[in-house]
Amino acid sequence: MTDTIHARSDRPSRARRVLPARDLAQIAIFAALIAALGLAGPLNIGPVPITLQSMGVMLAGAILGPRKGTLALLLFLALTAVGLPLLAGGRGGIGPFTVSPAAGYLYGWLLGAFVIGHLTARLMPKYPFWPALGATILGGIGAVYLLGIPVMAFNLGLPLWTAASLNVAFIPGDLIKVVVTVLVAGQVHRAYPGLIARIGRPRNPADAGSTTGSASTTGSTSTTA
Amino acid sequence: MSSITFDRVSHRFEGAAASGYTLRDIRLTLTESRIGIVGANGSGKSTLVRMINGLVTPTEGSVTVDGLSVKKQAREVRRRVGFIFTNPDNQIVMPTVEEDVAFTLRRRGLSAAEIAERTARTLDRFGLTALADRPAHRLSGGQKQLLALAAVLVAEPAIVVADEPTTLLDARNTRRIQELLRTLSQQLIVVTHQLDLLDDFDRVIVVENGEVVADDRPAIALGAYRALLS
Amino acid sequence: MIGLYSPGTSLIHRAPTLLKLLLLSLGVGVVALFGDPRQLGVALIVVVALFIIAGVPLKASVRQIAPILWMLLLAVPVQALLAGWLVAGLMAGRLLIAVALAALFTLTTTVTAVLEAFDQLLRPFSRWIDAERVGLLVALTIRCIPLVTEIVSEVLEARTARGTRGTLRALAVPVIVRSLYAADALGEALAARGVDD
């Protein structure tokens, strides 16, 4: 057992970075988490195989918020595109981003993480269940399908409605992931407050444009080794 | 040796109650070559040493290193102060051993050849040359802490601060890291529960409930600490 | 860095990354225009020849290409119903060739080479994108993958030790919270080594 003080990097430095070190680390850890979820392989719930990776996308938005969550996704996708086998099933490279019928879903993940993050930031610090569920459905299913289905239709040369109907089978699995995400995010926000700066409340004009929001989080937490 | 001063330093975490000080009114001038800091978990000693390189900012008062303000001249101070953490896993930031050591030297105006040369020299000094391309996660706990030490010393800081550097290591690796710390030419400030390490130190400071309760030669300060424990 | 790269010394392995990228996009673009099964047949032979020249293992290639086969299994009959078997077959052929070409690029190019190519492509945007920070994030993430994997297996072990099976949520919460603590410590280590200065 060690008592570790987690530093705050909010000193009034001239060289205030757009992303302080702790934010960088959170983004990298979440990108790694999404990758690790892909390595875990699919779970079978009923007849539908569920990849946990897309739940990692929802979690990134719901736990890290719009900026850090979207960047974590961008980082994960960039590492996949350059040839690391991080997509569920050990796929990677530029194929899944361009010519694959599922290419649109990857861009949808990016949009989805942003939408979830943005809406979640308006629900902080309370994170009430039903609005959070709505936010996660909108981003995790709505935004993902919004980009996923047209690209699928285009790459397969199918009419839009046909492509859309092919997706119906995935909705139950996606809904399960949404519910799990909201329950998990709620618990995480209680265990580790301050991950997402609230937006939508009038802020002190002196604070506007500064990045203190993400840095001025919890003061102390102790890790148990 | 460098001179580190704590001038009426207090600290409490944001949102903590008015009485909830982590540190209260610390006044210290650290000039000795070997300084040990002891105290119970939660006594505030980790916060204290983190102020030396600005990882934690005092709520009141100020900390200076060789006259440089830790708050206002953070970059200069951090180049002077190397920091070793407890958990070796979480302080390795690059994928491989060599990359992690070289990482410390970036943005210091050194040429690529200089960086490579100094990295190679440091890896050699710590017996890590054979492991240069090894991914960090394939190292043993002792090797990881060795790497952490190498990554700090490659920049040749004037001061090395170590926060419980051996707490998570086994007995053999604890001895090895302690031996290495003893041989450093740098000013050394160590937070530790391994009291035997401190016997030949110049000064030992005992922290309890956010205050310095003893500050003396090891024999005397450690005596006071043992009395406090019992 | 362990990627999908399959080591080799063929012409395709040695070709400059940006050239390969350019040829790939040209190839995919041209194939998309093909409306005659004979053209596709020729293209398919060329692609197979390229794979033979590159000498990449069959298993690695199949692994990258196979996932689209089940999609085709679903899409081809629908397409055939709507537009006839010829159109459906052409669509399947074009897609297969494009996916195979993309896989060939990935299998014959190291991650480092692709990162360098990206760096070159991003250079005109250096005013908006801090290449050093991007590089740092990439390296940090590669470092974090084993770190997170270890956290996951530790949480799983703890669960087994307690003899509880638990839900997905009971697994996810400790994994995420511990990952966030690890991120705190990493952030501190980065700050101590001057990342914020």
Side-chain angles (χ1 to χ4, degrees), chain A residues 77 95-112 143-155, chain C residues 71:
Chain A
L77 293 175
F97 289 87
T98 47
V99 291
S100 159
Y105 294 100
L106 301 183
Y107 303 104
W109 285 0
L110 202 59
L111 181 66
V144 173
Y145 284 21
L146 184 71
L147 297 186
I149 291 171
V151 173
M152 185 179 190
F154 180 81
N155 276 356
Chain C
M71 284 205 198

Side-chain angles (χ1 to χ4, degrees), chain B residues 59-211:
Chain B
T59 317
E60 293 150 41
S62 64
V63 182
T64 57
V65 174
D66 290 334
L68 298 165
S69 158
V70 173
K71 197 170 174 180
K72 296 194 185 94
Q73 287 145 303
R75 179 204 285 246
E76 289 76 8
V77 169
R78 283 184 183 163
R79 289 191 174 184
R80 229 168 261 240
V81 181
F83 204 104
I84 320 259
F85 296 88
T86 309
N87 188 341
D89 248 321
N90 295 341
Q91 57 189 314
I92 301 168
V93 296
M94 290 287 115
T96 66
V97 170
E98 187 176 11
E99 285 172 293
D100 194 65
V101 173
F103 176 77
T104 316
L105 295 177
R106 91 222 179 289
R107 286 202 282 133
R108 295 202 182 217
L110 297 172
S111 72
E114 272 174 292
I115 290 178
E117 194 269 325
R118 279 177 71 169
T119 302
R121 191 152 31 92
T122 306
L123 288 176
D124 188 48
R125 178 178 164 201
F126 288 89
L128 292 168
T129 306
L131 303 173
D133 293 323
R134 174 89 47 109
H137 65 276
R138 297 242 211 89
L139 301 175
S140 71
Q143 287 169 333
K144 282 177 187 164
Q145 199 56 299
L146 214 53
L147 168 57
L149 206 54
V152 161
L153 288 166
V154 70
E156 292 167 10
I159 303 162
V160 172
V161 180
D163 182 20
E164 297 190 36
T166 58
T167 300
L168 297 179
L169 302 181
D170 61 27
R172 203 172 118 251
N173 283 308
T174 296
R175 262 204 312 284
R176 193 166 170 205
I177 296 292
Q178 286 184 348
E179 277 318 306
L180 267 165
L181 289 175
R182 277 204 184 91
T183 58
L184 295 182
S185 58
Q186 275 86 358
Q187 182 175 12
L188 178 66
I189 297 165
V190 187
V191 174
T192 187
H193 294 297
Q194 254 97 36
L195 303 185
D196 51 323
L197 170 72
L198 306 176
D199 285 339
D200 56 354
F201 271 39
D202 302 313
R203 180 175 176 185
V204 171
I205 295 165
V206 183
V207 182
E208 175 75 11
N209 293 328
E211 290 179 37

